[in-house]
């Protein structure tokens, strides 16, 4: 184990017969540091989310490095002499994976109209007569606000923030920034009659470990009818896999994607405009003729990204390590961890899970991990609802976000924007946005003395 081995290596001594002692496993206290067990990194700096698992063998480290280069490379428009990475667009949101997942971390909403940073995208739908979501006849399922030369972008996104002030029972004031999103055509006309779902890019580390948790483990945590009466009724999001069979969704803000590979190839197609074997179609509709007529890229034509490159990016994503916890055992983080459980946060943010044994990457197998998620859908109430269903998830249902690494987001990404659209400007604001099934836990947080609220925040910042 990464940290267990490091800690054990610092001990000395021998047994009574003079033979060296067997390496000691990590204590319970040491395990608290190891969010990902063998998949943990001790890096706490600006590249804390971009580290490979130390348990990888030499070939694994080479594959990780190659995948990292593909993840970070900018794609260019076709035709280009750089055939290994041409095919950008014709319409897109970003030029590379790392444009949104900078240093494999979290995206954030743009600070202003001139903000060059990317990381927010808009999923959209129109509702049919039965109220079911359908692709927009012009813009499809996602709004692409950038485009290559001679192809019109679909438009721009305007964000207005309304402050919603509040007060804790002890008199401490706070304010939540409620965003409103308006889509505007290149001609400046408002696009009406659509349902939008803004999404910021989540952090990438540890996703391979989450993918390797047995579906039965996650489904066993579900309580869709709230049989235990605790007000929490999480449910598994079952989606259709590539083979047409029902499979557990794990990734994305609505747990609508079952695998890392599917998440990656969908992002290439919709976010960057790069086709793959899995997603051979560009995100153009038949109402966008310039987009449909644009040339394709790639070394041999379609697909624009080869299977080998997708393989390497998938491997890279699956083997990103999880940062170790900080300040374990400190008075405030210990008190905060206890309060976090006592007020009911751990009902959804499950502290400990174990991965399965069937991965082709040994470092992912049989790991006790601490992601603080159950990967289930929970109704979070009207305050966070976007009213756009996604698969079987309603507009108010969201997957429990993993909390590991949350305290390093500012260090890695230079901001503290949280929740699905980055509306929360701090961890505290993210808690105060909770509603629905989490309303009880949120109210209990509000009722705590200020010192205990601070302790919970100290605990979360230690993850």
């Amino acid at each position: 184990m990464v940290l267990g081995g490091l800690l054990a290596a610092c001990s000395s001594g021998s047994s009574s017969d003079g033979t060296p002692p067997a390496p000691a496993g990590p204590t319970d206290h040491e395990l608290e540091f190891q969010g990902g067990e063998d998949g943990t990194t001790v890096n706490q700096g600006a590249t804390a989310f971009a580290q490979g698992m130390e348990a990888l063998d030499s070939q694994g480290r080479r594959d990780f490095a190659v995948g990292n280069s593909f993840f970070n490379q900018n794609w260019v428009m076709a035709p280009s002499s750089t055939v290994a990475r041409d095919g950008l667009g014709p319409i897109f949101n970003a030029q590379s994976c790392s444009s949104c997942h900078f240093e494999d971390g979290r995206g954030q909403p743009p600070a202003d109209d001139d903000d060059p940073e990317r990381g927010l995208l808009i999923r959209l739908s129109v509702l049919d007569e039965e109220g079911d979501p359908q692709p927009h006849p012009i813009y499809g399922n996602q709004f692409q606000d950038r485009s290559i030369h001679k192809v019109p972008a679909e438009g721009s996104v305007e964000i207005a923030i309304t402050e919603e002030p509040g007060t804790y029972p002890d008199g401490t004031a706070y304010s939540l920034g409620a965003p409103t999103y308006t889509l505007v055509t290149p001609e400046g006309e408002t696009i009406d009659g659509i349902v939008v779902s803004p999404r910021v890019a989540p952090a990438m580390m540890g996703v391979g470990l989450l993918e390797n948790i047995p579906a039965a483990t996650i489904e066993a945590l579900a309580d869709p009818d709230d049989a235990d009466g605790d007000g929490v009724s999480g449910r598994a999001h079952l989606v259709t896999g590539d083979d047409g069979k029902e499979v557990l969704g794990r990734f994305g803000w609505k747990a609508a994607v079952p695998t890392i590979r599917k998440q990656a190839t969908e992002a290439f197609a919709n976010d960057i405009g790069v086709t793959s074997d899995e997603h051979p179609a560009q995100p153009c509709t038949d109402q966008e003729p310039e987009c449909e007529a644009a040339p394709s890229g790639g070394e041999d034509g379609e697909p624009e990204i080869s299977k080998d490159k997708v393989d390497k990016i998938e491997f890279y994503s699956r083997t990103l390590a999880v940062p170790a916890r900080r300040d374990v055992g400190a008075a405030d983080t210990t008190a905060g961890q206890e309060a976090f459980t006592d007020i009911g946060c751990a009902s959804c943010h499950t502290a400990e899970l174990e991965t399965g044994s069937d991965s082709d990457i040994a470092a992912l197998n049989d790991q006790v991990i601490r992601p603080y998620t159950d990967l289930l859908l929970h109704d979070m109430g009207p305050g966070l609802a976007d009213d756009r269903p996604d698969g079987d998830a309603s507009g108010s249902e969201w997957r429990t976000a993993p909390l590991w690494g949350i305290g390093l987001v500012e260090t890695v990404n230079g901001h503290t924007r949280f929740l699905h659209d980055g509306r929360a400007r701090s961890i505290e604001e993210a808690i105060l946005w909770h509603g629905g099934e989490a309303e009880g836990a949120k109210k209990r947080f509000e009722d705590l003395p200020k010192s205990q609220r601070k302790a919970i925040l100290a605990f979360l910042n230690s993850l």
Side-chain angles (χ1 to χ4, degrees):
M1 297 180 183
V2 175
L3 290 178
L6 290 174
L7 290 164
C10 296
S11 62
S12 60
S14 60
S15 64
S16 58
D17 62 3
T19 59
T27 66
D28 289 343
H29 179 70
E30 290 164 357
L31 280 171
E32 283 292 329
F33 286 91
Q34 296 178 237
E37 198 171 353
D38 283 358
T40 305
T41 174
V42 295
N43 189 310
Q44 299 178 15
T47 59
F49 299 163
Q51 303 301 305
M53 295 178 175
E54 293 188 25
L56 294 177
D57 59 20
S58 58
Q59 182 60 52
R61 289 193 290 273
R62 287 192 290 271
D63 290 343
F64 181 89
V66 173
N68 179 39
S69 68
F70 293 150
F71 190 87
N72 288 298
Q73 73 177 8
N74 280 338
W75 290 77
V76 298
M77 64 178 290
S80 168
S81 59
T82 315
V83 294
R85 55 186 177 91
D86 74 349
L88 174 69
I91 53 177
F92 59 97
N93 299 108
Q95 287 183 259
S96 69
C97 303
S98 60
S99 296
C100 297
H101 303 277
F102 180 69
E103 293 290 358
D104 302 286
R106 288 182 58 89
Q108 63 173 321
D112 54 53
D113 292 341
D114 298 321
D115 187 351
E117 297 297 330
R118 303 287 166 174
L120 176 76
L121 57 83
I122 305 290
R123 299 283 171 80
L124 52 82
S125 300
V126 292
L127 301 181
D128 61 20
E129 294 180 356
E130 285 74 37
D132 296 322
Q134 303 296 333
H136 191 279
I138 298 176
Y139 308 111
N141 289 307
Q142 185 166 310
F143 195 67
Q144 281 87 13
D145 59 351
R146 303 175 70 185
S147 63
I148 64 173
H149 185 54
K150 295 184 179 181
V151 175
E154 293 181 328
S156 57
V157 182
E158 296 180 353
I159 307 174
I161 305 297
T162 302
E163 293 295 331
E164 297 184 352
T167 306
Y168 286 103
D170 65 8
T172 303
Y174 63 82
S175 185
L176 304 180
T180 301
Y181 302 88
T182 303
L183 304 187
V184 180
T185 69
E187 295 74 33
E189 299 177 358
T190 300
I191 302 172
D192 297 317
I194 55 175
V195 181
V196 301
S197 182
R199 313 279 179 89
V200 294
M204 294 284 295
M205 73 287 181
V207 293
L209 293 164
L210 297 179
E211 185 179 51
N212 203 35
I213 300 169
T217 298
I218 297 167
E219 292 168 354
L221 298 172
D223 184 15
D225 300 317
D226 191 20
D228 60 8
D230 65 353
V232 177
S233 51
R235 65 188 186 91
H237 191 183
L238 300 178
V239 299
T240 303
D242 292 334
D243 60 359
K245 296 180 180 178
E246 196 172 65
V247 64
L248 178 71
R250 302 168 187 260
F251 301 111
W253 290 102
K254 300 274 190 180
V257 184
T259 65
I260 293 169
R261 190 180 189 90
K262 187 173 180 64
Q263 184 82 353
T265 53
E266 287 186 353
F268 266 109
N270 296 317
D271 302 354
I272 308 178
V274 171
T275 59
S276 62
D277 286 332
E278 289 90 341
H279 289 274
Q282 296 286 1
C284 314
T285 68
D286 58 11
Q287 299 297 306
E288 298 173 308
E290 297 94 341
C291 183
E292 289 195 315
S296 297
E299 297 176 77
D300 301 307
E302 299 283 2
E304 293 168 328
I305 184 170
S306 67
K307 178 182 180 301
D308 178 66
K309 288 182 180 178
V310 174
D311 289 345
K312 293 298 192 297
I313 290 171
E314 179 186 23
F315 182 89
Y316 170 75
S317 302
R318 292 173 72 193
T319 54
L320 283 164
V322 180
R325 271 192 65 190
R326 286 83 52 213
D327 300 321
V328 177
D332 56 351
T333 61
T334 298
Q337 185 172 9
E338 293 173 355
F340 180 86
T341 300
D342 289 344
I343 67 174
C345 300
S347 296
C348 302
H349 291 284
T350 304
E352 184 176 294
L353 295 167
E354 187 169 352
T355 67
S357 307
D358 299 328
S359 176
D360 56 346
I361 301 174
L364 300 177
N365 286 328
D366 303 311
Q367 303 295 298
V368 177
I369 61 174
R370 289 164 177 77
Y372 289 89
T373 178
D374 57 12
L375 296 180
L376 298 174
L377 291 175
H378 294 274
D379 190 322
M380 297 299 290
L384 290 178
D386 62 13
D387 299 323
R388 180 185 181 271
D390 192 340
D392 192 38
S394 74
S396 61
E397 287 183 306
W398 302 95
R399 183 197 73 159
T400 304
L403 298 181
W404 49 15
I406 192 172
L408 288 173
V409 170
E410 185 171 14
T411 299
V412 174
N413 297 124
H415 67 82
T416 55
R417 304 301 292 263
F418 300 104
L419 299 179
H420 64 280
D421 57 358
R423 68 176 62 191
R425 296 164 293 198
S426 66
I427 295 175
E428 183 176 11
E429 282 191 30
I431 295 171
L432 294 172
W433 272 110
H434 281 51
E437 295 175 38
E439 181 70 25
K442 189 266 298 282
K443 291 294 293 180
R444 288 186 286 274
F445 174 79
E446 292 176 324
D447 291 339
L448 290 173
K450 186 174 183 178
S451 60
Q452 285 190 274
R453 296 199 303 268
K454 288 180 65 177
I456 288 178
L457 297 176
F459 161 65
L460 293 172
N461 273 299
S462 78
L463 294 178

